[in-house]
Amino acid sequence: MAPVSRRHFLGLAALNSAAALGLTTIATRPATAAESDGAFSPAVVVGTGYGAAVTALRLGQAGVPTLMLEMGQLWDTPAEDGRTFSPMLSPDRRSMWLKDRTEMPLASFLWLDINRRIERYAGVLDRVDHGDMSVYVGRGVGGGSLVNGAMAVTPKRWYFEEILPEVDADEMYGVYFPRANAALGVNSVDPGWFETCDSYRYARLSRRHAHKAGYRTTFVPSVYDFDYMRREEAGEVPRSALASEVIFGNNHGKRSLDRTYLAAALGTGNVTIRTLREVREIRRAGDGTYWLTVNELDQAGNVVARRQLGTRYLFLGAGSLGSTELLLRARDTGTLPDLGEEIGRGWGPNGNVMLGRANHAWDLTGITQSGMPALGIDAWDDPEHPVFAEIAPMPAGVELWVSLYLAITRNPERGHFTYDAATDSARLHWTAGQGEPSIRAAKAHFDRINRANGTIYRHDLFGDTRVFENRFTYHPLGGLALGTATDLYGRVHGYPNLYVTDGSLIPGSTGVNPFVTITALAERNIERVLAEDIRRG
Ligand code: FAE
């Protein structure tokens, strides 16, 4: 990663002091837009995830005063227990977004429910249920970067060309993927350390089993600082990845967006972030400006104020669910009536399937397991069942004899959203049957791995006896697909100066973990929009 510049440092300082003081406005200069009802900001970015963070940084660098509105909280300062985020194995209210119980992806062990009661609070991980599909998303300054597994994977070029054929792949692979990887601080595990450390014993075991069945494995780059992890194992620094931390946030070691893009964006002096601000409604005035209805939330999720806020340039970076819902609501309640039929289409879960295998008693996975995966089984070139399976930890702090995987499969099925007036929300239409191709693909490969190693599947991990869990996704993609709901640079059809900048642009699949693709695409799009659309001064 490039050395931290003075501006970047100023951004980090602003985040830290806002967190320490419990402020919901974060800026390096006095806030550019006043918060009164009817205030106007030249550019507004909704959300603070990958697409949003890229967009705000580049707008800020171009001198455009930009306001970011994030419904979650700022997670940058330790609470009374000395931790910013909830411990993973004994979760508290910080773990989940406005829930009375945790809702973990691994629901059970030996069929015993591993979830626990928590106080309802604006925590960092949300699970949004839509019948046969539940979607996990991050809430807070940094969006998904706060809760994700940090795997930073650039998709195979041939597959990228297939999913987004109209995007110039030479440009993406020559300019924007390298730019994204550099700015995100992507690094790779030292292979020598990997072979000898305790923390990846589980990955080495899964690799041995995969190789025995004739599969290829590959290291997975990460935005978790592997040097920090090495020092965790050496006992030199406080543990995070090696203290089982992952989906409820990492207290150390992770280069989440608040450490990278967002700190740099704040450092430009042109970007302000407001937290606990949920955008509900978008209208367009006769003069072409956009007006947002914004709910101010308290930490229990109650609406404590409601304001109107105007902007000339509006960027939606609220994620696949969030941005899609905003535009569907706008179309179907008539505030942006010219939005087309493509809004809400082309959604997919990136073919996610989770599964566990039971190991022989002599095959130990280790009691210390890094929460950050570093290895994947790469069968993406399989002509019948392309699968990229990350070798996931099961970091319980005791030996469980389980090998866990999150498989990304190539599932051609797509879901769609409709607006439900009764609940004023978007409903995803995705059936269990649509998830079947993913299960068939995962089964084809893991049956082979089991056969080669004389092992069996676990039946006790997902609340019932199923082996393959595809009723949730970590990777929601699509809803506002590039080239259909928007033009080829994320400009929403029919509405000048309205842009989509996040995972909703990608039509349902990337073949790998998606945040590098989302980041690179956002870099490409904002460069064009800045050059062609944005008036300065
Ligand atoms: P996202 O990061 O979801 O950010 C959207 C932001 O908008 C959030 O902060 C929301 O709170 C906010 N928001 C939503 N609605 C509103 C509204 N109405 N008003 C104001 N704010 C709003 O968007 N991907 C990888 O590549 N590698 C991994 O290892 C990986 N692991 C994952 C593990 C977990 C547990 C999860 C949940 C996800 C994982 N992902 C991983 C997926 C990745 O985090 C996700 O694709 C990106 O975060 C999506 O980026 P977006 O910019 O689309």
Side-chain angles (χ1 to χ4, degrees):
M1 201 171 44
V4 172
S5 69
R6 186 178 150 273
R7 282 174 171 229
H8 194 132
F9 180 78
L10 285 176
L12 287 172
L15 285 156
N16 287 336
S17 57
L21 297 169
L23 303 179
T24 57
T25 298
I26 312 150
T28 50
R29 288 192 202 157
T32 40
E35 207 176 14
S36 54
D37 202 28
F40 190 87
S41 175
V44 165
V45 179
V46 184
T48 54
Y50 291 91
V54 170
T55 305
L57 169 62
R58 302 306 171 200
L59 287 167
Q61 284 175 331
V64 182
T66 300
L67 178 62
M68 304 185 83
L69 298 168
E70 167 57 54
M71 67 191 273
Q73 301 201 66
L74 174 61
W75 294 93
D76 273 78
T77 202
E80 280 135 33
D81 66 352
R83 298 186 178 105
T84 301
F85 295 104
S86 164
M88 166 90 174
L89 299 178
S90 51
D92 57 37
R93 66 177 193 167
R94 291 169 291 186
S95 60
M96 296 211 72
W97 177 257
L98 307 179
K99 308 269 184 208
D100 301 314
R101 275 176 74 72
T102 57
E103 296 178 7
M104 307 249 213
L106 272 182
S108 54
F109 187 75
L110 296 174
W111 293 283
L112 293 172
D113 184 357
I114 58 172
N115 285 301
R116 59 157 65 197
R117 286 196 68 75
I118 48 170
E119 182 190 332
R120 209 173 169 76
Y121 180 74
V124 73
L125 179 69
D126 199 359
R127 173 175 167 135
V128 186
D129 294 326
H130 288 280
D132 287 343
M133 177 56 69
S134 295
V135 181
Y136 282 99
V137 292
R139 300 254 179 255
V141 174
S145 77
L146 299 169
V147 297
N148 68 31
M151 282 166 281
V153 195
T154 301
K156 295 226 157 85
R157 180 172 167 143
W158 69 262
Y159 190 61
F160 179 85
E161 288 174 347
E162 206 174 297
I163 51 168
L164 290 170
E166 291 166 297
V167 175
D168 182 342
D170 278 344
E171 239 179 39
M172 286 298 292
Y173 284 78
V175 180
Y176 302 110
F177 278 119
R179 184 177 295 173
N181 278 305
L184 289 166
V186 175
N187 70 153
S188 297
V189 68
D190 171 354
W193 180 73
F194 177 88
E195 295 304 337
T196 52
C197 67
D198 291 337
S199 337
Y200 284 119
R201 186 177 181 145
Y202 73 95
R204 297 195 300 268
L205 176 66
S206 284
R207 180 180 61 184
R208 180 153 60 75
H209 289 175
H211 286 179
K212 196 160 176 206
Y215 286 99
R216 199 154 39 95
T217 54
T218 177
F219 283 118
V220 176
S222 179
V223 292
Y224 196 90
D225 182 340
F226 279 116
D227 187 50
Y228 187 89
M229 196 190 297
R230 189 186 50 73
R231 290 191 287 140
E232 286 178 54
E233 185 161 307
E236 295 166 10
V237 290
R239 289 187 163 199
S240 177
L242 303 200
S244 306
E245 290 181 352
V246 50
I247 58 172
F248 298 144
N250 283 88
N251 283 296
H252 309 280
K254 198 204 259 183
R255 294 165 182 162
S256 46
L257 288 168
D258 50 329
R259 311 275 102 199
T260 59
Y261 271 101
L262 292 170
L266 288 164
T268 65
N270 293 317
V271 175
T272 301
I273 301 176
R274 289 220 167 91
T275 60
L276 293 169
R277 301 295 191 279
E278 184 187 12
V279 176
R280 294 294 302 180
E281 214 178 87
I282 306 171
R283 283 174 297 112
R284 187 158 183 260
D287 64 357
T289 55
Y290 290 95
W291 287 85
L292 308 177
T293 305
V294 184
N295 284 347
E296 182 176 341
L297 309 176
D298 66 15
Q299 292 176 324
N302 303 305
V303 177
V304 292
R306 174 170 275 218
R307 294 193 185 84
Q308 304 295 312
L309 202 149
T311 186
R312 176 158 302 282
Y313 303 105
L314 177 57
F315 295 87
L316 303 182
S320 167
L321 294 189
S323 295
T324 305
E325 177 169 90
L326 282 169
L327 289 193
L328 264 185
R329 184 185 290 127
R331 185 190 67 193
D332 290 9
T333 59
T335 61
L336 297 178
D338 296 336
L339 290 171
E341 284 307 304
E342 292 76 21
I343 303 295
R345 307 230 147 238
W347 185 88
N350 205 21
N352 280 189
V353 188
M354 194 173 251
L355 66 126
R357 294 174 45 248
N359 291 316
H360 297 295
W362 57 87
D363 271 341
L364 300 180
T365 57
I367 52 174
T368 303
Q369 301 193 9
S370 170
M372 301 290 127
L375 203 68
I377 300 171
D378 186 358
W380 197 254
D381 292 329
D382 184 281
E384 215 183 328
H385 295 301
V387 169
F388 179 80
E390 66 189 56
I391 296 171
M394 195 145 164
V398 288
E399 178 63 48
L400 295 176
W401 289 277
V402 179
S403 286
L404 196 68
Y405 306 86
L406 181 75
I408 295 169
T409 63
R410 184 174 170 182
N411 183 341
E413 293 287 336
R414 293 291 172 265
H416 70 279
F417 294 87
T418 53
Y419 173 69
D420 176 28
T423 55
D424 188 25
S425 61
R427 300 313 304 162
L428 172 64
H429 300 270
W430 174 270
T431 62
Q434 290 179 285
E436 281 302 316
S438 296
I439 291 188
R440 280 198 296 278
K443 185 171 183 329
H445 296 292
F446 284 96
D447 278 0
R448 193 168 129 194
I449 290 177
N450 275 339
R451 270 197 308 275
N453 293 282
T455 50
I456 55 170
Y457 291 112
R458 296 287 300 218
H459 290 265
D460 59 323
L461 303 177
F462 304 112
D464 51 23
T465 55
R466 76 186 59 225
V467 165
F468 299 100
E469 176 59 288
N470 68 343
R471 296 168 301 173
F472 76 78
T473 183
Y474 288 158
H475 301 163
L477 293 172
L480 303 170
L482 194 84
T484 57
T486 74
D487 79 350
L488 289 178
Y489 293 90
R491 300 170 173 116
V492 177
H493 288 311
Y495 286 94
N497 302 338
L498 175 59
Y499 308 90
V500 178
T501 173
D502 55 27
S504 45
L505 291 172
I506 298 171
S509 168
T510 52
V512 290
N513 317 65
F515 74 63
V516 171
T517 311
I518 296 170
T519 306
L521 206 54
E523 287 280 17
R524 164 189 178 272
N525 294 351
I526 189 63
E527 191 169 279
R528 175 65 65 106
V529 167
L530 272 167
E532 292 182 355
D533 299 12
I534 310 276
R535 276 190 280 126
R536 323 279 158 92

